[in-house]
Amino acid sequence: MGGHITSEQMESINDTTINLVETVSADKDIMVNILDLKMYDDYTYHHSLSVAVMSLAVGMEFGFDKNTLNELVTAALLHDIGKIAIPITIINKPSRLTPEEFEIVKKHPIAAGVHLRKNNLVSQNTFMGIVGHHEKWNGTGYPNGLDGKNIHMFARIMAVADVFDALTSHRPYRKPAPAHEVLEYIMANAGTHFDEEIVRAFLKRVAPFPVGSHVRLSNGKRGIVIRNYPEQPLRPQIAIIGEDTSCDLFKDPQYLNVIVTGIDELDNISAPPVNSRS
Ligand SMILES: [Fe+2]
């Protein structure tokens, strides 16, 4: 991919790093807990770090203060720690879970939250984030079937980051889907599975087609992304290869029906239909 990082992006990376380092270094219990997670399952560990970074970016987008960002990052780092109590064979099972196995998996948000809260290791906000990260905006999630703003905002943020990272990652039961397809899936489920306001903030921070990436278009042309619009991350401006023109999928009405169909580097990992298990 392009590898061009602007000074604003670098500033945002620096802010993110400082926040992450502060959270992890301030609390040795949290460090021990996330290392337990690494021993248990490498994927869950990397997944938790990734969810923490993305949740932090969204929290910063909402202008949370330092203390709130710390609480949010802590929740994200520990959101799946309850999985440690679940046999690893269930977590990494390549085929569909039986209803009994799924019932066991569904216990992980509460198991973790209650343990951490009971031992006074995390704040009430962090606890609410962990317990609620599998709730859905329309009330069809677990463990409590809460809906809308009855779900803690941390949990609503983590739900988006959790699904984004899970679906873009390689799992024993699913190949990774390209980021733009996962963003489309998330946008399509805004207002049902996810909080629309959170999805909007998330999209501002995640660019599926970074400047410099080689993309294919639905009109058969190929091009290089030259500009991104944070409010429309799936519709960048593209310089067409072999032509002296660029097309702006966001601003130019003549390209209204054209979409980006893929990134060239991702040719060999085509995605199966999106499966929401995460
Ligand atoms: Fe989870």
Side-chain angles (χ1 to χ4, degrees), residues 22 53 208:
E22 276 179 4
V53 171

Side-chain angles (χ1 to χ4, degrees), residues 36-75:
D36 283 348
L37 201 55
K38 183 158 172 56
M39 299 301 286
Y40 169 74
D41 178 39
D42 216 42
Y43 163 76
T44 309
Y45 168 75
H46 288 288
H47 168 69
S48 302
L49 283 175
S50 169
V51 170
V53 171
M54 288 186 280
S55 299
L56 180 53
V58 174
M60 288 160 74
E61 186 65 37
F62 280 103
F64 289 179
D65 62 29
K66 271 247 133 62
N67 182 47
T68 311
L69 289 174
N70 272 328
E71 292 181 298
L72 172 62
V73 170
T74 304

Side-chain angles (χ1 to χ4, degrees), residues 79-80 83 108 133-134 162:
H79 75 281
D80 271 346
K83 285 189 175 169
H108 78 272
H133 77 272
H134 284 289
D162 184 22

Side-chain angles (χ1 to χ4, degrees), residues 47-229:
H47 168 69
S48 302
L49 283 175
S50 169
V51 170
V53 171
M54 288 186 280
S55 299
L56 180 53
V58 174
M60 288 160 74
E61 186 65 37
F62 280 103
F64 289 179
D65 62 29
K66 271 247 133 62
N67 182 47
T68 311
L69 289 174
N70 272 328
E71 292 181 298
L72 172 62
V73 170
T74 304
L77 287 172
L78 300 178
H79 75 281
D80 271 346
I81 197 96
K83 285 189 175 169
I84 288 182
I86 302 172
I88 190 71
T89 46
I90 295 182
I91 297 299
N92 286 329
K93 189 180 174 190
S95 51
R96 188 174 266 283
L97 297 181
T98 65
E100 296 74 28
E101 288 168 334
F102 191 49
E103 285 309 312
I104 293 172
V105 169
K106 279 161 76 173
K107 294 201 168 88
H108 78 272
I110 288 197
V114 169
H115 169 79
L116 293 165
R117 189 73 189 132
K118 200 177 73 195
N119 294 291
N120 228 352
L121 294 172
V122 297
S123 72
Q124 177 70 10
N125 282 331
T126 298
F127 166 75
M128 297 293 280
I130 293 172
V131 170
H133 77 272
H134 284 289
E135 300 287 359
K136 293 184 180 176
W137 184 254
N138 64 6
T140 61
Y142 64 86
N144 294 315
L146 299 179
D147 65 354
K149 298 210 166 165
N150 293 317
I151 307 164
H152 193 279
M153 188 171 184
F154 285 6
R156 283 180 272 134
I157 292 172
M158 285 154 56
V160 175
D162 184 22
V163 168
F164 179 82
D165 184 71
L167 296 182
T168 51
S169 299
H170 190 92
R171 304 296 297 127
Y173 46 84
R174 179 176 14 79
K175 286 183 185 163
H180 68 278
E181 286 184 17
V182 177
L183 285 186
E184 262 174 65
Y185 169 81
I186 286 173
M187 286 158 85
N189 288 282
T192 51
H193 182 161
F194 307 110
D195 177 353
E196 272 180 292
E197 199 189 349
I198 306 278
V199 170
R200 267 199 301 277
F202 186 81
L203 292 175
K204 280 195 192 161
R205 293 285 183 148
V206 181
F209 307 120
V211 168
S213 44
H214 289 242
V215 293
R216 290 186 303 276
L217 300 178
S218 56
N219 61 6
K221 303 199 169 174
R222 284 169 188 256
I224 297 170
V225 174
I226 52 177
R227 180 175 182 190
N228 263 296
Y229 298 103

